[in-house]
Amino acid sequence: MSVAADVLLRGAWYALEQCGHLLRSAVALYNERAYASAVALALLAREELGRYRILVDLWRQAVGGKAVSVEEVRAKCDDHVTRQREAQLSIVYRAEGSGRLADLLRARIKACPSTPEYKNIDEQLKQLDRIKVRRMPADRHSTRMKAMYVDINDGGTDWNRPAAMPEEEAANCLVDAVNDYSVQIDKLQIEMLRALDAPLASALDAWGCKPPLPAPTLPDQ
């Protein structure tokens, strides 16, 4: 059975709406110091952001005349890592501490643009970008699992304990997720969307009763 284009568009919007609701709940949990639960919800919110982007792509295909089946919708949206990959709207580095990445970021700040030194540092950072983009979806799924479940470690010597989730790790996870959600909803401001994607703007404009998207909210820090 084929899914109509307008049904796919509604599903995309509802997924983005759910992303916003989950992030607001995650921030509330963080503010109550329930750090692991906040991380688990924030990463589920990312999956809903990924679902939004998958469904918008399927909507485009349906508008273009392709028959999109219920089975295809479910298959495209089924995998956790795939949804995390689709939700990757930015790459964030933090330069605290030591290590190669922190050293490179500090060196680029000090280097003069257009110099060979700067270009060499920039190329090394781009290589790290490519590695991070490839690994981050699976890493985020793994983090979500660690935030939710007690599990034995690979050596059989200790346990993963969600209640021990560090506050700073939780804060970084939430801030990054909220920022990506903000980026996505900013792109849906109707004037900007008309310039970036006129067909999507027209379709959303024609849907007059769509629910409002929750406003982004950052955790207390």
Side-chain angles (χ1 to χ4, degrees), residues 28-45:
L29 285 168
Y30 174 89
N31 292 340
E32 293 295 324
R33 301 182 183 277
Y35 300 130
S37 298
V39 166
L41 274 190
L43 292 173
L44 284 173

PDB file of all heavy atoms in Angstrom, residues 28-45:
ATOM      1  N   ALA A  28      14.647  18.989  31.501  1.00  0.00           N
ATOM      2  CA  ALA A  28      14.048  18.969  32.842  1.00  0.00           C
ATOM      3  C   ALA A  28      14.705  17.907  33.720  1.00  0.00           C
ATOM      4  O   ALA A  28      14.973  18.143  34.905  1.00  0.00           O
ATOM      5  CB  ALA A  28      12.541  18.718  32.732  1.00  0.00           C
ATOM      6  N   LEU A  29      14.984  16.742  33.149  1.00  0.00           N
ATOM      7  CA  LEU A  29      15.654  15.684  33.907  1.00  0.00           C
ATOM      8  C   LEU A  29      17.072  16.097  34.285  1.00  0.00           C
ATOM      9  O   LEU A  29      17.524  15.845  35.411  1.00  0.00           O
ATOM     10  CB  LEU A  29      15.679  14.393  33.088  1.00  0.00           C
ATOM     11  CG  LEU A  29      14.358  13.635  32.999  1.00  0.00           C
ATOM     12  CD1 LEU A  29      14.439  12.556  31.924  1.00  0.00           C
ATOM     13  CD2 LEU A  29      13.998  13.003  34.344  1.00  0.00           C
ATOM     14  N   TYR A  30      17.772  16.728  33.363  1.00  0.00           N
ATOM     15  CA  TYR A  30      19.131  17.199  33.659  1.00  0.00           C
ATOM     16  C   TYR A  30      19.105  18.193  34.822  1.00  0.00           C
ATOM     17  O   TYR A  30      19.941  18.128  35.739  1.00  0.00           O
ATOM     18  CB  TYR A  30      19.751  17.844  32.425  1.00  0.00           C
ATOM     19  CG  TYR A  30      21.100  18.469  32.699  1.00  0.00           C
ATOM     20  CD1 TYR A  30      22.267  17.725  32.567  1.00  0.00           C
ATOM     21  CD2 TYR A  30      21.202  19.802  33.125  1.00  0.00           C
ATOM     22  CE1 TYR A  30      23.509  18.292  32.852  1.00  0.00           C
ATOM     23  CE2 TYR A  30      22.428  20.370  33.408  1.00  0.00           C
ATOM     24  CZ  TYR A  30      23.573  19.613  33.265  1.00  0.00           C
ATOM     25  OH  TYR A  30      24.791  20.167  33.554  1.00  0.00           O
ATOM     26  N   ASN A  31      18.150  19.106  34.779  1.00  0.00           N
ATOM     27  CA  ASN A  31      18.064  20.113  35.838  1.00  0.00           C
ATOM     28  C   ASN A  31      17.723  19.494  37.190  1.00  0.00           C
ATOM     29  O   ASN A  31      17.980  20.113  38.232  1.00  0.00           O
ATOM     30  CB  ASN A  31      17.031  21.184  35.462  1.00  0.00           C
ATOM     31  CG  ASN A  31      17.481  22.035  34.283  1.00  0.00           C
ATOM     32  OD1 ASN A  31      18.672  22.108  33.968  1.00  0.00           O
ATOM     33  ND2 ASN A  31      16.535  22.669  33.608  1.00  0.00           N
ATOM     34  N   GLU A  32      17.155  18.276  37.175  1.00  0.00           N
ATOM     35  CA  GLU A  32      16.902  17.525  38.408  1.00  0.00           C
ATOM     36  C   GLU A  32      18.049  16.580  38.731  1.00  0.00           C
ATOM     37  O   GLU A  32      17.927  15.721  39.599  1.00  0.00           O
ATOM     38  CB  GLU A  32      15.589  16.736  38.270  1.00  0.00           C
ATOM     39  CG  GLU A  32      14.339  17.596  38.176  1.00  0.00           C
ATOM     40  CD  GLU A  32      14.085  18.392  39.448  1.00  0.00           C
ATOM     41  OE1 GLU A  32      14.370  17.857  40.544  1.00  0.00           O
ATOM     42  OE2 GLU A  32      13.624  19.542  39.334  1.00  0.00           O
ATOM     43  N   ARG A  33      19.163  16.698  38.010  1.00  0.00           N
ATOM     44  CA  ARG A  33      20.380  15.901  38.208  1.00  0.00           C
ATOM     45  C   ARG A  33      20.208  14.423  37.836  1.00  0.00           C
ATOM     46  O   ARG A  33      20.986  13.580  38.272  1.00  0.00           O
ATOM     47  CB  ARG A  33      20.901  16.028  39.650  1.00  0.00           C
ATOM     48  CG  ARG A  33      21.236  17.455  40.041  1.00  0.00           C
ATOM     49  CD  ARG A  33      21.796  17.538  41.447  1.00  0.00           C
ATOM     50  NE  ARG A  33      22.050  18.909  41.840  1.00  0.00           N
ATOM     51  CZ  ARG A  33      23.156  19.609  41.538  1.00  0.00           C
ATOM     52  NH1 ARG A  33      24.103  19.036  40.829  1.00  0.00           N
ATOM     53  NH2 ARG A  33      23.302  20.856  41.941  1.00  0.00           N
ATOM     54  N   ALA A  34      19.206  14.111  37.036  1.00  0.00           N
ATOM     55  CA  ALA A  34      19.046  12.748  36.512  1.00  0.00           C
ATOM     56  C   ALA A  34      19.780  12.673  35.185  1.00  0.00           C
ATOM     57  O   ALA A  34      19.172  12.646  34.101  1.00  0.00           O
ATOM     58  CB  ALA A  34      17.559  12.417  36.352  1.00  0.00           C
ATOM     59  N   TYR A  35      21.105  12.642  35.243  1.00  0.00           N
ATOM     60  CA  TYR A  35      21.925  12.851  34.061  1.00  0.00           C
ATOM     61  C   TYR A  35      21.799  11.727  33.030  1.00  0.00           C
ATOM     62  O   TYR A  35      21.710  11.983  31.832  1.00  0.00           O
ATOM     63  CB  TYR A  35      23.386  13.048  34.464  1.00  0.00           C
ATOM     64  CG  TYR A  35      23.584  14.234  35.381  1.00  0.00           C
ATOM     65  CD1 TYR A  35      24.303  14.114  36.564  1.00  0.00           C
ATOM     66  CD2 TYR A  35      23.028  15.474  35.074  1.00  0.00           C
ATOM     67  CE1 TYR A  35      24.483  15.206  37.404  1.00  0.00           C
ATOM     68  CE2 TYR A  35      23.197  16.571  35.909  1.00  0.00           C
ATOM     69  CZ  TYR A  35      23.921  16.424  37.083  1.00  0.00           C
ATOM     70  OH  TYR A  35      24.079  17.499  37.915  1.00  0.00           O
ATOM     71  N   ALA A  36      21.804  10.475  33.481  1.00  0.00           N
ATOM     72  CA  ALA A  36      21.713   9.365  32.533  1.00  0.00           C
ATOM     73  C   ALA A  36      20.368   9.369  31.810  1.00  0.00           C
ATOM     74  O   ALA A  36      20.300   9.172  30.596  1.00  0.00           O
ATOM     75  CB  ALA A  36      21.925   8.032  33.251  1.00  0.00           C
ATOM     76  N   SER A  37      19.290   9.595  32.548  1.00  0.00           N
ATOM     77  CA  SER A  37      17.961   9.634  31.924  1.00  0.00           C
ATOM     78  C   SER A  37      17.870  10.794  30.939  1.00  0.00           C
ATOM     79  O   SER A  37      17.247  10.672  29.872  1.00  0.00           O
ATOM     80  CB  SER A  37      16.874   9.762  32.997  1.00  0.00           C
ATOM     81  OG  SER A  37      16.887   8.644  33.853  1.00  0.00           O
ATOM     82  N   ALA A  38      18.503  11.919  31.277  1.00  0.00           N
ATOM     83  CA  ALA A  38      18.508  13.066  30.369  1.00  0.00           C
ATOM     84  C   ALA A  38      19.227  12.726  29.075  1.00  0.00           C
ATOM     85  O   ALA A  38      18.763  13.063  27.973  1.00  0.00           O
ATOM     86  CB  ALA A  38      19.178  14.260  31.056  1.00  0.00           C
ATOM     87  N   VAL A  39      20.369  12.040  29.186  1.00  0.00           N
ATOM     88  CA  VAL A  39      21.128  11.653  27.992  1.00  0.00           C
ATOM     89  C   VAL A  39      20.332  10.677  27.135  1.00  0.00           C
ATOM     90  O   VAL A  39      20.285  10.804  25.895  1.00  0.00           O
ATOM     91  CB  VAL A  39      22.487  11.042  28.403  1.00  0.00           C
ATOM     92  CG1 VAL A  39      23.148  10.322  27.226  1.00  0.00           C
ATOM     93  CG2 VAL A  39      23.411  12.135  28.928  1.00  0.00           C
ATOM     94  N   ALA A  40      19.711   9.688  27.776  1.00  0.00           N
ATOM     95  CA  ALA A  40      18.926   8.707  27.022  1.00  0.00           C
ATOM     96  C   ALA A  40      17.819   9.391  26.225  1.00  0.00           C
ATOM     97  O   ALA A  40      17.618   9.099  25.036  1.00  0.00           O
ATOM     98  CB  ALA A  40      18.338   7.664  27.977  1.00  0.00           C
ATOM     99  N   LEU A  41      17.106  10.333  26.847  1.00  0.00           N
ATOM    100  CA  LEU A  41      16.025  11.033  26.141  1.00  0.00           C
ATOM    101  C   LEU A  41      16.573  11.948  25.052  1.00  0.00           C
ATOM    102  O   LEU A  41      15.986  12.055  23.973  1.00  0.00           O
ATOM    103  CB  LEU A  41      15.193  11.847  27.128  1.00  0.00           C
ATOM    104  CG  LEU A  41      14.048  11.138  27.841  1.00  0.00           C
ATOM    105  CD1 LEU A  41      13.190  12.152  28.588  1.00  0.00           C
ATOM    106  CD2 LEU A  41      13.182  10.333  26.879  1.00  0.00           C
ATOM    107  N   ALA A  42      17.688  12.612  25.332  1.00  0.00           N
ATOM    108  CA  ALA A  42      18.270  13.514  24.324  1.00  0.00           C
ATOM    109  C   ALA A  42      18.687  12.743  23.079  1.00  0.00           C
ATOM    110  O   ALA A  42      18.510  13.223  21.950  1.00  0.00           O
ATOM    111  CB  ALA A  42      19.467  14.255  24.911  1.00  0.00           C
ATOM    112  N   LEU A  43      19.225  11.548  23.264  1.00  0.00           N
ATOM    113  CA  LEU A  43      19.662  10.765  22.110  1.00  0.00           C
ATOM    114  C   LEU A  43      18.477  10.122  21.390  1.00  0.00           C
ATOM    115  O   LEU A  43      18.518   9.931  20.176  1.00  0.00           O
ATOM    116  CB  LEU A  43      20.691   9.728  22.552  1.00  0.00           C
ATOM    117  CG  LEU A  43      22.013  10.374  22.997  1.00  0.00           C
ATOM    118  CD1 LEU A  43      22.955   9.340  23.603  1.00  0.00           C
ATOM    119  CD2 LEU A  43      22.703  11.078  21.826  1.00  0.00           C
ATOM    120  N   LEU A  44      17.403   9.819  22.117  1.00  0.00           N
ATOM    121  CA  LEU A  44      16.170   9.407  21.442  1.00  0.00           C
ATOM    122  C   LEU A  44      15.589  10.582  20.645  1.00  0.00           C
ATOM    123  O   LEU A  44      15.046  10.390  19.550  1.00  0.00           O
ATOM    124  CB  LEU A  44      15.150   8.905  22.466  1.00  0.00           C
ATOM    125  CG  LEU A  44      15.401   7.510  23.034  1.00  0.00           C
ATOM    126  CD1 LEU A  44      14.419   7.210  24.165  1.00  0.00           C
ATOM    127  CD2 LEU A  44      15.288   6.440  21.950  1.00  0.00           C
ATOM    128  N   ALA A  45      15.716  11.783  21.193  1.00  0.00           N
ATOM    129  CA  ALA A  45      15.265  12.974  20.461  1.00  0.00           C
ATOM    130  C   ALA A  45      16.026  13.115  19.153  1.00  0.00           C
ATOM    131  O   ALA A  45      15.449  13.445  18.106  1.00  0.00           O
ATOM    132  CB  ALA A  45      15.442  14.218  21.325  1.00  0.00           C
TER     133      ALA A  45
END
